[in-house]
Amino acid sequence: MSSLADANVQSDLDIAPLLLPAQVLRNDAQAIEAAHELAQVARVQAAKRDRQRKLPWAEIEQFTRSGLGSIAIPREYGGPQVSFVTLAEVFAIISAADPALGQIPQNQFGIINLVLGSATEAQKKQLFQSVLEGWRIGNAGPERGTKNTLELKARITADGDDYVINGQKFYSTGALFAHWVAVKALNDDGKQVLAFVRRGTPGLRIVDDWSGFGQRTTASGTIVLNNVRVESSLVVDNWKINEKPNTQGAVSQLIQAAIDAGIARGAIDDAIEFVKTRARPWIDAKVERASDDLYVIADIGRLKIELHAAEALLRKAGQVLDQVHAAPLTAESAARASIAVAEAKVLTTEISLLASEKLFELAGSRATLAEFNLDRHWRNARVHTLHDPVRWKYHAVGAYRLNGTLPARHSWI
């Protein structure tokens, strides 16, 4: 599989990854079990992959083959449609082992939700069935050099019965591993659409040039689209989702928060293990083991409490989304979901950063040695939490609670 990735970088000809058969899970318990099995495998070489920037091809293939890629597909389309509580826990479990592996498929789930809210029935059937069969969806939305993350320069124009796309993307998480590349572009009317481009389409090029100091193995790099043809049946009018209340942002942010919670879990677990097995006690503590230091004990307790608080809000956010989706969606219920997720996102962001930094204070100087690569926890937390600023989460929650102001409708709230 690595040879495919190498070919992608070195050639202008895009090469699709192998399509392997995927099972379909049937309930929430099976999804949690599959997540734990994947995490057990992913954890073994996670530090080495990060150090070497080695992409987790085998692990993402296991993710797909296990059926985890289709757990959000609605039951009426053949999927298990697990609860949002379970969806968040799946991503937290995987991300505790390797948050890069957690981030790679995150956009697939946001896109599934977007398709559900804006695609035609025929498009839903085709795209959802492909995911059930093991197709992965990658992201080609953000761009560099624009005024903000909502502005697009990529264009899709009619050409006979089909369309042609031109543009360049970045932060394209999941695209290199995908079979579909979901491209956001403006159509001839200036409206945003989402075009599903098959890998291997002429003019499509995916470059693994992601150089971020964290989340190193997500391949969140460049996509070049040069006169890329796409069938009209695969162009979703996703601008329609804004014509009515939706939970697009809340669902996307729930997964982001779950990844951060996973980073915090992994950092605290490694801190505890290092303190128990490798760290030396401070001389003034007058104890035999670092794990008997009263201040270390108190700090571990504090980290665990703050992690559990973040996890509790994450579960609550999932529960609110489940409740909201069980009834007709209104502007108020969609806002309630966004605020619940925003509150969780604040705490998961803060505990992931705190835990990954506190690890070194508690474990001591030896923990900074390159052989342990424990700095990956902080690097991953710092990079992933930059996806959207927490200061605006505080603002959204305050405006909602104080003045009844409904949050904006986009993918970041």
Side-chain angles (χ1 to χ4, degrees):
M1 188 62 72
S2 60
S3 62
L4 292 177
D6 293 341
N8 255 329
V9 175
Q10 298 168 5
S11 171
D12 287 342
L13 177 64
D14 184 56
I15 300 175
L18 296 175
L19 180 62
L20 300 175
Q23 64 175 314
V24 177
L25 301 173
R26 289 304 172 193
N27 54 53
D28 293 52
Q30 289 182 356
I32 295 295
E33 182 181 3
H36 279 297
E37 290 175 355
L38 176 59
Q40 186 176 5
V41 172
R43 185 176 290 109
V44 176
Q45 296 292 328
K48 183 177 180 180
R49 285 194 300 273
D50 172 88
R51 185 184 297 112
Q52 298 178 352
R53 286 190 184 269
K54 182 179 179 182
L55 300 182
W57 277 103
E59 292 75 18
I60 200 66
E61 289 287 7
Q62 181 175 334
F63 178 93
T64 304
R65 291 197 311 271
S66 71
L68 287 170
S70 61
I71 59 175
I73 300 295
R75 294 185 186 92
E76 58 264 40
Y77 296 98
Q81 192 178 350
V82 302
S83 69
F84 285 104
V85 173
T86 294
L87 182 63
E89 182 59 13
V90 163
F91 273 87
I93 290 168
I94 295 169
S95 298
D98 184 352
L101 181 61
Q103 186 182 348
I104 288 166
Q106 72 178 31
N107 288 304
Q108 173 164 314
F109 288 80
I111 291 168
I112 286 172
N113 191 60
L114 193 153
V115 168
L116 189 61
S118 58
T120 66
E121 190 62 25
Q123 289 171 331
K124 292 176 189 177
K125 289 180 179 179
Q126 179 180 0
L127 294 170
F128 291 160
Q129 183 59 39
S130 72
V131 173
L132 290 168
E133 293 173 357
W135 290 53
R136 290 187 293 272
I137 303 173
N139 181 49
E143 300 177 5
R144 289 194 287 190
T146 55
K147 180 180 179 180
N148 56 52
T149 193
L150 288 175
E151 183 181 356
L152 295 177
K153 294 181 179 178
R155 294 294 185 267
I156 181 169
T157 57
D159 186 20
D161 294 332
D162 297 325
Y163 289 89
V164 171
I165 309 174
N166 284 282
Q168 186 165 311
K169 303 289 184 174
F170 196 65
Y171 306 112
S172 304
T173 305
L176 187 63
F177 304 90
H179 304 91
W180 291 116
V181 177
V183 182
K184 288 183 178 178
L186 298 183
N187 65 14
D188 293 332
D189 297 325
K191 294 181 177 180
Q192 186 187 114
V193 299
L194 186 68
F196 284 81
V197 177
R198 290 181 176 86
R199 291 293 302 280
T201 300
L204 172 67
R205 187 160 63 95
I206 301 177
V207 185
D208 182 17
D209 58 350
W210 172 243
S211 62
F213 61 72
Q215 297 296 88
R216 289 177 169 179
T217 61
T218 58
S220 301
T222 299
I223 292 180
V224 179
L225 301 125
N226 183 19
N227 292 322
V228 174
R229 297 191 68 84
V230 60
E231 303 161 41
S232 58
S233 62
L234 292 173
V235 178
V236 175
D237 290 329
N238 65 313
W239 55 268
K240 291 182 178 179
I241 199 168
N242 293 319
E243 293 184 335
K244 55 187 178 181
N246 67 81
T247 58
Q248 173 63 21
V251 171
S252 175
Q253 288 290 295
L254 181 77
I255 298 173
Q256 302 279 5
I259 293 170
D260 296 335
I263 294 173
R265 285 184 193 177
I268 293 173
D269 286 347
D270 276 356
I272 291 173
E273 179 65 19
F274 206 97
V275 167
K276 289 170 64 175
T277 62
R278 297 179 184 275
R280 296 186 298 181
W282 182 239
I283 53 175
D284 294 329
K286 294 182 171 54
V287 294
E288 293 297 319
R289 304 179 306 172
S291 58
D292 291 328
D293 184 321
L294 296 180
Y295 292 108
V296 172
I297 292 171
D299 278 340
I300 290 294
R302 187 175 296 111
L303 288 175
K304 276 291 190 179
I305 290 168
E306 294 189 18
L307 173 63
H308 292 162
E311 291 173 334
L313 280 191
L314 186 64
R315 284 192 297 273
K316 179 184 176 183
Q319 290 166 353
V320 171
L321 269 166
D322 287 327
Q323 294 164 6
V324 165
H325 278 249
L329 200 61
T330 66
E332 176 56 39
S333 65
R336 186 160 61 91
S338 283
I339 294 302
V341 175
E343 291 177 351
K345 185 67 163 59
V346 167
L347 291 197
T348 58
T349 292
E350 292 181 349
I351 186 58
S352 66
L353 291 168
L354 175 63
S356 57
E357 180 178 348
K358 197 76 172 176
L359 184 161
F360 297 102
E361 180 184 333
L362 300 178
S365 300
R366 190 180 181 189
T368 67
L369 296 180
E371 65 188 275
F372 302 116
N373 196 23
L374 292 174
D375 59 297
R376 73 184 188 279
H377 294 299
W378 182 87
R379 290 187 285 99
N380 290 333
R382 183 63 282 175
V383 168
H384 189 261
T385 56
L386 292 175
H387 183 273
D388 48 274
V390 163
R391 62 185 179 274
W392 280 95
K393 297 292 190 292
Y394 279 110
H395 176 272
V397 172
Y400 178 79
R401 300 298 184 189
L402 182 62
N403 298 319
T405 304
L406 303 188
R409 292 263 59 83
H410 53 59
S411 295
W412 299 273
I413 186 64

